[in-house]
Amino acid sequence: MSQTVLGIIYFVAFSHALMLAISLWKKASDSNTDTAKWLSIVCFIVSYKLFEGGALYLGLYTHLAHLMDLLPGEVLLIGPLVFVYISMMVGEEKPKPLQLALHFIPAISLWCYNAPSVFQSLDAKINMWQFVLSQTEARALPLKFVFLFLAIKTHLSIYLYLSWQHIQKFENVCDTLRADNSAAVLKQLKFLVVSLFALELVWVGLFVAQQFFAVGTLALVSDVWLLFVALIVLAIGYVALQKMDLLMSKEEHALVQQNPPSESDESSNIKYFHSALNEQQSNQLAKHLEQQIKVKQLYLNDKLTLTMLADETEIKAHTLSQVINQSMNTNFYKLINGYRIQHAISLIEDNSIHWPLERIAFESGFANRVTFSKAFKEIMGQTASEFKKQRQHAS
């Protein structure tokens, strides 16, 4: 691929990443949640690196040299930023300034180490970038730089692994705590974090092959990484934009921490050790719960969670979860969406109502068509569209 074409691709990706970063920041501000701002910063960093690549390959670096190479070791920033974003998303407290600073000590140290090149003269910067462009053959770096680059990638991989653990823990209990598509969104986000981790492995493979076996060039290794990381960050940003309210509450986080999920437990994702609740009490609470849900039509609240239901029914969240899982033989997701589907069916069967399925979904307590379609198929064994057509033919 020619440098001009690659430069154009970089600038197009730069514009998209920049717009995504601005959108995430604005939406986070409008919703009064700072969580997505951390991901927005990641997008700003990636957009800046894409800007550098575009300026380099299109020859604009001679005019924009002072705007380039201002952020050496950007990977040392991406790892902690993604980790803080995921941590806050699953209900952890925002890190205190000192704790936050500790995460970024490696990035700050590397930036200080590279400060002389950051603040060098315009001519020196132009000469440096010209040298980079002139490297068309394999070039081995001193071993200290090889180990430095590998250490930087290891640093990012550790943060990605910790982020994956946070998502995994919440994803495993999502259906026990929520009745929306949070689990599906978390699965997408986990896949994207895993993809970023896999990309780091690819980079290490390409880098080692280039350094020790003279396969390709350093520029090729950098280009492959930057292009793919741009795609992955854009995808992560898209997931965040479509589910800005996916934030685990402090109560939900505490519930998961007190009762960690067990892979061997197939019926429930939350364990109930040493419970003082006997079977008779559990059955009585189950009847009370069903009555409260039906009378108050709590299922029509599309933001209803287990902890919110606990407040409405005045049953402790942990006890409520036990009642739903053990006495009612279901989980929160299936219980609430069961009521919602019953409500949706009553609307579909009402001959005086001629609403589209989207409105029926919203009127039944579903926040979106995706969750409605999934729940309807699981409960009724057919799609809502098929069910509606059958009712129309029957009538």
Side-chain angles (χ1 to χ4, degrees):
M1 185 181 295
S2 70
Q3 291 183 347
T4 301
V5 173
L6 194 57
I8 293 173
I9 292 175
Y10 274 141
F11 265 124
V12 171
F14 155 70
S15 64
H16 282 73
L18 183 60
M19 287 189 291
L20 177 61
I22 295 172
S23 297
L24 279 170
W25 190 277
K26 186 176 184 302
K27 286 208 170 191
S29 300
D30 292 343
S31 59
N32 294 319
T33 57
D34 293 334
T35 308
K37 289 183 178 179
W38 297 97
L39 194 59
S40 174
I41 297 173
V42 175
C43 292
F44 275 119
I45 292 172
V46 173
S47 67
Y48 173 73
K49 301 308 292 186
L50 289 166
F51 161 78
E52 277 190 339
L56 177 64
Y57 287 130
L58 292 178
L60 299 177
Y61 67 92
T62 56
H63 307 287
L64 304 171
H66 278 314
L67 296 178
M68 300 179 66
D69 198 34
L70 299 178
L71 203 60
E74 72 285 346
V75 174
L76 293 174
L77 293 171
I78 292 177
L81 287 169
V82 171
F83 175 71
V84 171
Y85 163 69
I86 297 295
S87 299
M88 292 180 64
M89 188 185 69
V90 298
E92 293 190 2
E93 294 282 352
K94 180 180 177 181
K96 294 180 180 179
L98 180 58
Q99 293 175 321
L100 196 60
L102 291 175
H103 286 292
F104 296 102
I105 285 178
I108 295 171
S109 300
L110 184 62
W111 190 91
C112 292
Y113 177 79
N114 283 278
S117 65
V118 172
F119 295 108
Q120 63 185 333
S121 67
L122 180 64
D123 290 338
K125 278 196 172 185
I126 292 175
N127 291 333
M128 179 188 71
W129 288 114
Q130 286 176 341
F131 175 77
V132 170
L133 285 175
S134 67
Q135 297 303 301
T136 57
E137 298 180 356
R139 183 171 65 94
L141 296 173
L143 278 180
K144 67 175 183 179
F145 290 114
V146 172
F147 287 125
L148 175 62
F149 285 138
L150 293 178
I152 289 173
K153 293 301 180 179
T154 301
H155 175 272
L156 175 58
S157 298
I158 291 172
Y159 275 104
L160 291 175
Y161 174 71
L162 294 174
S163 300
W164 177 85
Q165 280 191 316
H166 277 327
I167 299 173
Q168 178 77 12
K169 184 183 292 185
F170 189 20
E171 182 193 7
N172 285 342
V173 297
C174 220
D175 287 350
T176 308
L177 299 172
R178 296 189 171 195
D180 56 11
N181 68 329
S182 294
V185 175
L186 279 172
K187 187 174 294 185
Q188 294 176 24
L189 191 55
K190 185 176 72 172
F191 174 77
L192 293 168
V193 170
V194 171
S195 299
L196 192 54
F197 181 81
L199 177 59
E200 292 308 299
L201 293 180
V202 171
W203 185 94
V204 170
L206 290 173
F207 181 70
V208 170
Q210 193 279 322
Q211 286 297 299
F212 297 101
F213 302 100
V215 177
T217 63
L218 285 173
L220 175 64
V221 176
S222 177
D223 290 338
V224 169
W225 182 85
L226 187 55
L227 284 172
F228 278 96
V229 79
L231 291 174
I232 292 171
V233 170
L234 287 172
I236 292 176
Y238 171 74
V239 173
L241 279 174
Q242 69 171 328
K243 193 66 179 174
M244 288 290 292
D245 58 345
L246 178 57
L247 296 174
M248 193 177 182
S249 67
K250 294 179 181 178
E251 293 81 6
E252 289 174 316
H253 183 267
L255 188 61
V256 175
Q257 293 299 111
Q258 293 169 7
N259 304 276
S262 172
E263 293 181 0
S264 61
D265 184 14
E266 296 179 355
S267 62
S268 170
N269 284 323
I270 293 183
K271 301 290 286 182
Y272 311 100
F273 298 115
H274 312 298
S275 173
L277 192 66
N278 59 43
E279 185 177 354
Q280 182 179 0
Q281 292 173 321
S282 182
N283 290 335
Q284 289 176 346
L285 286 174
K287 291 180 181 179
H288 171 69
L289 175 61
E290 288 182 326
Q291 182 184 26
Q292 291 290 302
I293 293 175
K294 290 179 181 178
V295 171
K296 296 182 179 180
Q297 291 189 309
L298 299 175
Y299 53 87
L300 295 181
N301 178 5
D302 64 341
K303 292 181 172 56
L304 185 67
T305 64
L306 179 75
T307 53
M308 292 171 64
L309 183 61
D311 291 337
E312 288 286 346
T313 58
E314 298 182 348
I315 303 174
K316 291 183 179 179
H318 182 259
T319 301
L320 182 60
S321 179
Q322 181 178 356
V323 169
I324 293 173
N325 283 272
Q326 295 186 348
S327 297
M328 305 176 77
N329 295 317
T330 186
N331 59 38
F332 180 77
Y333 177 91
K334 293 179 180 178
L335 175 68
I336 299 303
N337 285 332
Y339 284 109
R340 289 171 174 170
I341 293 301
Q342 290 177 15
H343 188 84
I345 289 174
S346 67
L347 295 177
I348 293 174
E349 293 180 337
D350 190 336
N351 294 327
S352 64
I353 294 177
H354 304 285
W355 294 339
L357 289 176
E358 284 80 5
R359 181 172 179 183
I360 289 176
F362 295 142
E363 294 289 342
S364 302
F366 290 96
N368 55 71
R369 177 71 183 270
V370 174
T371 310
F372 170 65
S373 300
K374 178 186 175 184
F376 201 101
K377 183 72 180 290
E378 288 176 348
I379 294 172
M380 300 302 296
Q382 61 183 155
T383 65
S385 299
E386 291 171 345
F387 180 83
K388 188 176 182 180
K389 287 179 182 178
Q390 286 183 358
R391 295 299 303 172
Q392 290 174 342
H393 289 316
S395 60

